[in-house]
Amino acid sequence: MNITSDFMGEEMMYYYKDYPINHALLTMLAMTRLRVQEISKSSWGDVYLDSLSVHYRLRGVGI
C-alpha cells in the first residue's frame, strides 16, 4: 500500500465511524482482504473454527 491509499482508508473509516454496519464491513474488508462478493454471499454457516490454528475461517463461497 502507498501513503495515499492508507490516508484515504483512514478518512473513510473516520467518516463511517457513526454508521456501525458500514464501519464493520469496511473493517472486515481491510483486515481480512476478502472481496465484497465473498462477504456478501457468505453466511454464518460458512464460518468454522480451524482446530489447528485456533482461528475462525470462512469457507470459500465462490462467485
Side-chain angles (χ1 to χ4, degrees):
M1 269 201 187
N2 60 36
I3 294 171
T4 305
S5 63
D6 287 343
F7 179 71
M8 289 175 64
E10 288 177 23
E11 277 191 348
M12 198 174 350
M13 295 300 284
Y14 180 77
Y15 178 80
Y16 285 109
K17 69 179 174 50
D18 295 327
Y19 302 91
I21 292 173
N22 293 343
H23 192 268
L25 287 171
L26 288 171
T27 302
M28 185 182 304
L29 287 167
M31 299 203 58
T32 64
R33 296 185 182 191
L34 289 170
R35 292 175 287 212
V36 173
Q37 279 189 313
E38 292 171 320
I39 293 173
S40 64
K41 289 187 175 187
S42 60
S43 68
W44 282 112
D46 298 321
V47 177
Y48 69 97
L49 179 62
D50 183 358
S51 60
L52 294 176
S53 66
V54 193
H55 288 100
Y56 284 97
R57 307 248 183 227
L58 179 66
R59 282 188 182 79
V61 178
I63 295 176

